Amino acid sequence: MSQNQFDKKSTAWSALFSEPMSDLVKRYTASVFFDKRLWQADIQGSLAHAEMLCHQKIISAEDHQAIQAGLRTIAADIEAGRFDWQLSLEDVHFNIEARLIAIIEASGGGDAGKRLHTGRSRNDQVATDVRLWLRGEIDLILGLLTELQKALLEVAEDNVDVILPGFTHLQVAQPISFGHHMLAYVEMFSRDGERMVDVRRRTNRLPLGAAALAGTSYPLDRERVATTLGMVDAQGQPQVCQNSLDAVSDRDFAIEFTAAASLCMVHISRFSEELILWMSQNFGFIQIADRFTTGSSIMPQKKNPDVPELARGKTGRVVGHLMGLITLMKGQPLAYNKDNQEDKEPLFDTVDTLKDTLRIFAEMVGGQLNPESGVKEGGITVHPEAMTRAAHKGYATATDLADYLVKKGLPFRDAHETVAHAVKAAISHECDLSELPLNVLQEFNPSIEKDVYDVLILRGSLNARDILGGTAPTQVRLQIERHQARLTRQ
Ligand code: ARG
């Protein structure tokens, strides 16, 4: 065997090398075990590239046909689990290309397989694959975000009039509607959706045609490929990366996606923290269905909120991936560097974690459809009495008393001070503000009249916040309608 003949079949660039790659280096540099996940995007990209090569008369119609048929056979084989992925072929791109060449040769189609890579490099190929794959995943994530928002809206709708204490500093602050509280998360997840739509727009641009880094001398029609791949804007105009160096080297779309995913997980994590608190014995506000909890191996009474706890934990993992990806990019000179192969595992894991989390939360919050009864079952159970009881503690209507005095003509600062005295008195009487007799209240300010009790009760406090974005049930109902209309439009 001549010096250059080693391992010829199993690598695509061996002729130059005087010794084979060591097994350790093969394992270290290979990505096929994780990037084989991109196979559909890889084949989709190759089909579009081959079609364009034929259209531009760079390859013949026969070669195009052979490539098409070969790629379809490969797709079917991978789908059926019949494809033999080889570590020595490094990555998903080389594995598929090598198989294509072999299939076509074996079927008498000559060297058509070897022509597919004309005007293309793995650098623009991989950037295209990741973008195509991520675009599909973003679409799935958008659907899951909608499902979660719908589940939260259902809970909001059922609990507009349920009062719980709103907290600041985790100290009782003011009474709020539980529906209003749920809608706060609907807002967050709707912004997460907006961010995903925005990231999708920048992800959906075509690197192919950039070749290794400088573009190519073949008369490729990049816009044709973009259109074939659905990389178009809202008006149907093809979206093509405009600088070849940038096209192959930047992964900012992946970083942006992971940043959007991190924020979404942070929202999930805050919600998790609340669910965990609310279902603790000290709050007793809600229960989540047993199938989302686990028991203890030693304490027989325990039902632990594992799902929200894990979601809170997995948020750290996704934020970690964001740090990983952004750090991966920071020292890289233009254009492509192998560092970029490291973009995949964090990106894949971010997508998997986010999708699983959104799916499980939609079900945990909203329940599951019972096909027999046609109703959803097993969502969160709300305990309104416990919430109202808690809202009665902590002088949640103190601000309402101050506002009442302002309406009587007192400056707010003086009213604030007056109410502080009233709260102090209520604490020493061990009662709520609404339980102080009128004559006692009048000692703090003589303008206080009987109607003060309307504002001191929780419902009065709630109804008073009848302002856009406020917690008054009329406002909450308007917001629910707005969100419902928005989500049905999507
Ligand atoms: N597996 C590689 C990656 O994920 C494909 C691109 C390889 N390009 C190269 N010049 N070695 O980035």
Side-chain angles (χ1 to χ4, degrees):
M1 193 167 89
S2 82
Q3 222 184 18
N4 289 338
Q5 292 302 300
F6 73 86
D7 213 9
K8 198 170 175 187
K9 285 204 169 53
S10 59
T11 65
W13 32 251
S14 299
L16 186 67
F17 295 78
S18 56
E19 59 172 357
M21 212 188 235
S22 85
D23 282 345
L24 182 57
V25 173
K26 264 189 200 162
R27 199 155 40 76
Y28 194 75
T29 54
S31 55
V32 66
F33 291 119
F34 51 86
D35 69 14
K36 64 181 176 191
R37 194 173 164 160
L38 296 171
W39 70 268
Q40 262 166 326
D42 196 70
I43 289 179
Q44 199 189 353
S46 287
L47 285 169
H49 181 67
E51 192 277 337
M52 180 275 298
L53 289 179
C54 175
H55 184 262
Q56 297 297 96
K57 307 208 172 358
I58 299 167
I59 61 169
S60 68
E62 297 74 57
D63 285 350
H64 175 215
Q65 256 165 23
I67 290 170
Q68 249 185 342
L71 287 172
R72 298 221 162 104
T73 304
I74 292 172
D77 285 349
I78 298 174
E79 198 121 45
R82 285 194 299 261
F83 195 87
D84 180 21
W85 297 101
Q86 287 186 38
L87 178 95
S88 56
L89 286 169
E90 203 179 315
D91 56 25
V92 60
H93 324 293
F94 272 157
N95 268 270
I96 291 178
E97 193 184 344
R99 183 87 192 104
L100 180 73
I101 292 169
I103 288 177
I104 295 177
E105 266 173 7
S107 67
D111 58 8
K114 292 184 187 164
R115 297 184 192 274
L116 169 64
H117 211 52
T118 313
R120 187 175 76 167
S121 151
R122 274 185 306 156
N123 297 353
D124 56 348
Q125 186 178 357
V126 69
T128 303
D129 290 5
V130 178
R131 284 170 182 265
L132 281 176
W133 175 82
L134 185 59
R135 179 184 74 181
E137 295 297 326
I138 290 175
D139 289 341
L140 296 176
I141 288 166
L142 284 169
L144 293 170
L145 273 168
T146 301
E147 287 311 306
L148 176 56
Q149 289 177 74
K150 283 185 178 163
L152 286 162
L153 268 185
E154 281 165 22
V155 179
E157 215 179 352
D158 292 344
N159 294 282
V160 174
D161 292 305
V162 171
I163 300 178
L164 81 162
F167 298 93
T168 61
H169 314 270
L170 207 56
Q171 307 288 309
V172 170
Q174 290 173 351
I176 54 169
S177 142
F178 188 57
H180 192 55
H181 201 119
M182 290 296 103
L183 291 189
Y185 286 106
V186 175
E187 292 287 339
M188 293 178 230
F189 294 123
S190 91
R191 286 196 301 280
D192 289 329
E194 288 173 22
R195 267 184 284 274
M196 287 293 170
V197 168
D198 208 40
V199 173
R200 187 191 193 282
R201 200 161 52 79
R202 279 182 292 279
T203 300
N204 200 26
R205 290 179 189 160
L206 182 78
L208 276 181
L213 77 162
T216 173
S217 56
Y218 297 96
L220 303 189
D221 184 346
R222 299 187 65 205
E223 296 194 335
R224 184 180 180 89
V225 178
T227 305
T228 307
L229 293 174
M231 290 178 145
V232 293
D233 66 11
Q235 286 73 44
Q237 291 304 309
Q239 300 297 297
V240 170
C241 298
Q242 299 287 317
N243 179 290
S244 59
L245 298 169
D246 177 48
V248 293
S249 68
D250 209 345
R251 296 291 183 268
D252 57 358
F253 64 93
I255 296 173
E256 252 192 272
F257 167 79
T258 313
S262 296
L263 272 173
C264 184
M265 286 298 292
V266 165
H267 293 150
I268 289 269
S269 186
R270 296 188 72 185
F271 186 40
S272 299
E273 173 65 13
E274 298 211 301
L275 292 175
I276 294 161
L277 273 177
W278 290 342
M279 69 177 277
S280 86
Q281 287 75 5
N282 299 334
F283 280 75
F285 287 2
I286 60 147
Q287 250 168 285
I288 56 176
D290 279 2
R291 64 185 188 285
F292 299 102
T293 64
T294 62
S296 155
S297 59
I298 175 170
M299 297 166 284
Q301 85 284 14
K302 295 278 288 224
K303 252 186 216 173
N304 295 328
D306 283 33
V307 168
E309 286 176 287
L310 271 172
R312 197 174 52 186
K314 286 176 192 287
T315 302
R317 170 170 165 167
V318 170
V319 173
H321 291 327
L322 171 61
M323 293 308 118
L325 283 176
I326 204 158
T327 312
L328 172 69
M329 208 73 243
K330 75 176 267 293
Q332 287 193 50
L334 296 185
Y336 176 86
N337 303 281
K338 189 81 168 201
D339 311 41
N340 280 339
Q341 183 164 289
E342 288 290 307
D343 64 355
K344 289 170 198 64
E345 286 157 295
L347 187 62
F348 294 166
D349 189 63
T350 298
V351 164
D352 292 342
T353 307
L354 182 60
K355 274 170 42 185
D356 282 351
T357 307
L358 290 172
R359 205 171 277 140
I360 210 164
F361 265 63
E363 197 189 310
M364 188 170 67
V365 171
Q368 246 180 337
L369 197 67
N370 179 335
E372 275 167 32
S373 63
V375 264
K376 273 189 162 185
E377 287 168 3
I380 61 170
T381 310
V382 176
H383 298 306
E385 337 71 51
M387 291 190 183
T388 311
R389 220 178 302 125
H392 276 297
K393 292 181 199 155
Y395 306 100
T397 58
T399 317
D400 296 273
L401 180 54
D403 292 342
Y404 175 88
L405 292 171
V406 168
K407 283 180 194 136
K408 296 279 179 187
L410 244 68
F412 183 76
R413 275 287 148 246
D414 295 343
H416 185 280
E417 185 59 20
T418 304
V419 176
H421 288 292
V423 170
K424 211 166 165 189
I427 293 172
S428 69
H429 285 86
E430 290 183 10
C431 69
D432 186 42
L433 278 176
S434 62
E435 289 162 347
L436 288 175
L438 187 58
N439 60 334
V440 175
L441 284 170
Q442 282 169 338
E443 280 170 28
F444 300 108
N445 191 295
S447 68
I448 296 178
E449 292 171 87
K450 224 170 65 214
D451 63 352
V452 72
Y453 292 106
D454 296 340
V455 306
L456 288 183
I457 58 167
L458 298 176
R459 200 153 295 284
S461 168
L462 216 66
N463 289 339
R465 280 157 179 80
D466 191 4
I467 182 169
L468 177 68
T471 194
T474 43
Q475 293 292 340
V476 177
R477 287 202 178 86
L478 285 176
Q479 293 292 338
I480 290 174
E481 280 168 27
R482 183 176 67 82
H483 286 300
Q484 278 167 342
R486 175 178 62 80
L487 290 171
T488 38
R489 269 198 312 273
Q490 267 176 15

